[in-house]
Amino acid sequence: IKIVRALQQSGNIVAMTGDGVNDAAAVKGADIGVAMGLGGTDITKQAADMVLMDDNFTTIVVAVEEGRRIFDNILKFIMYLLSCNSAEIILFLLAAVLNLDLPFTTIMILWANIIADVPPSLSLGMDPPEHDIMDRPPRNPKSGVLTKTTTVVMIIQASFMALITFAVFLVGVLTPFGRTVLLNDDDTQTDQYVASIFHQGDPETNANENKFAHIAGARSVAFGVLTVLQLNQAFLSRSVDVSVFKTGLRANMWMVGCVLLSFGLYVMGVYVPGLNTWLELVPLGWPAWLVMFGAVVVQVAFSELTKMVLRAIGRRRTKRMGDREQQYYGHDQ
């Protein structure tokens, strides 16, 4: 028990295994007490946090790996949902601050939450463990799921998606680009670019802006950009600091299937007659798809740059912790 307490006082996370009555105190005092299920006494089992039913120490390693995988997937799930929903909040805040009309209608937001949030987030729970999951030092048990680093990363990701979507929307409503992205443009309407979007037109115009082709086109392409960014964010969320080119796509085929399902539902919402009218979307031409593809490429590049910075910070932090540990044990010797 003195050894356990000494290790804890030096900042270590201590696991203690035991089977006899004399081990019960140390097992109880450790951060993680492990008792033998076959040869252990009842007192030790009651004092332990975990009981090995097969008395095999290898099971401890497997349990630790599974626990870390579950925690990682919970973190990925939370970061993905928060980043996607925060992006929508930031997008609408930008429109409100600049006194613009809303980039999306209510039904668009509901559709985005159904197709872009639910399936990919569920597939994150099926993600396999990362390759370095057992090389990491123990996590501070006093810290929450979201740390300062992950919170900052989440805010950065959300802000990026919101700014890209907002920029596309502004270009669509303030320039002829809003009509360029349309699949069919009969060119019979006279658009009032600035008047209709900055609340300078008549009240009837502002109440029914989708009657202007460029407004409908801008909203539809902006909705498409945000949707594909959120779907791509699911792949980027598979690791906080590991490159998406290392995590790959085939390791989690559940995610691939869920993203394809969500993307298919988005395409149906844009091109299926009746459904697109209900969702207040309009069919888009090839220029809109080029914009979406470009947005995804920029998002991947931005994410890789962010993860590169995080890896550098992580290496520096690990080196600093190693130096402190070496100093401590060197001084103790």
Side-chain angles (χ1 to χ4, degrees):
I1 187 64
K2 290 182 179 180
I3 296 175
V4 170
R5 289 174 179 172
L7 290 171
Q8 289 174 331
Q9 289 173 0
S10 64
N12 293 292
I13 304 297
V14 183
M16 173 67 187
T17 60
D19 56 359
V21 176
N22 58 324
D23 298 324
V27 169
K28 181 68 175 178
D31 296 288
I32 304 172
V34 183
M36 302 297 107
L38 296 177
T41 61
D42 291 338
I43 295 178
T44 308
K45 293 178 184 178
Q46 292 175 6
D49 301 297
M50 181 171 64
V51 178
L52 295 180
M53 301 307 296
D54 56 359
D55 285 7
N56 189 346
F57 283 3
T58 307
T59 307
I60 300 176
V61 180
V62 176
V64 172
E65 182 179 14
E66 180 63 15
R68 291 187 175 190
R69 185 189 75 86
I70 293 172
F71 180 86
D72 275 3
N73 289 352
I74 292 174
L75 175 62
K76 296 171 188 177
F77 177 87
I78 293 175
M79 286 193 65
Y80 174 72
L81 284 183
L82 287 180
S83 61
C84 291
N85 286 282
S86 297
E88 297 173 6
I89 294 173
I90 295 172
L91 178 63
F92 279 76
L93 284 176
L94 287 172
V97 169
L98 297 178
N99 196 28
L100 303 180
D101 286 311
L102 299 181
F104 304 146
T105 61
T106 304
I107 193 64
M108 289 181 188
I109 300 172
L110 294 174
W111 186 244
N113 288 334
I114 292 173
I115 66 172
D117 288 353
V118 178
S121 62
L122 292 177
S123 66
L124 282 171
M126 307 296 293
D127 215 36
E130 297 182 29
H131 69 281
D132 65 339
I133 195 168
M134 295 302 290
D135 297 330
R136 306 173 191 169
R139 184 182 61 87
N140 186 352
K142 295 182 180 179
S143 64
V145 177
L146 286 177
T147 62
K148 291 181 180 179
T149 301
T150 53
T151 301
V152 170
V153 171
M154 182 270 295
I155 294 174
I156 291 175
Q157 292 172 345
S159 301
F160 176 84
M161 289 188 286
L163 289 174
I164 292 293
T165 305
F166 189 67
V168 171
F169 177 67
L170 280 184
V171 171
V173 296
L174 298 178
T175 70
F177 180 73
R179 302 189 70 152
T180 304
V181 298
L182 297 176
L183 181 63
N184 299 310
D185 186 7
D186 55 15
D187 199 28
T188 58
Q189 295 172 311
T190 301
D191 289 338
Q192 303 173 8
Y193 294 107
V194 178
S196 63
I197 194 64
F198 282 99
H199 291 294
Q200 296 173 3
D202 59 84
E204 183 180 352
T205 296
N206 291 329
N208 186 21
E209 286 174 340
N210 263 8
K211 72 180 183 181
F212 291 107
H214 76 284
I215 298 292
R219 279 179 169 163
S220 296
V221 70
F223 179 77
V225 167
L226 183 61
T227 300
V228 296
L229 288 179
Q230 289 181 342
L231 294 178
N232 187 52
Q233 182 63 32
F235 293 105
L236 302 178
S237 297
R238 291 189 57 210
S239 178
V240 176
D241 57 359
V242 177
S243 170
V244 68
F245 300 106
K246 288 187 176 181
T247 56
L249 300 179
R250 292 183 294 178
N252 189 350
M253 295 305 296
W254 286 99
M255 178 173 291
V256 175
C258 288
V259 169
L260 289 177
L261 172 64
S262 297
F263 185 73
L265 291 173
Y266 163 73
V267 173
M268 289 175 58
V270 172
Y271 293 104
V272 174
L275 181 59
N276 58 9
T277 303
W278 178 61
L279 295 173
E280 301 181 49
L281 296 169
V282 293
L284 298 172
W286 63 265
W289 291 103
L290 284 180
V291 171
M292 295 181 206
F293 177 77
V296 169
V297 171
V298 174
Q299 183 189 28
V300 172
F302 181 79
S303 174
E304 290 300 305
L305 180 62
T306 304
K307 291 182 177 182
M308 190 183 302
V309 173
L310 289 175
R311 287 195 297 270
I313 295 174
R315 286 193 296 267
R316 187 176 304 174
R317 185 178 301 168
T318 302
K319 184 178 182 300
R320 191 162 55 241
M321 291 175 61
D323 292 342
R324 289 178 183 174
E325 188 172 318
Q326 188 175 8
Q327 269 184 344
Y328 175 81
Y329 286 110
H331 177 73
D332 187 58
Q333 290 175 355

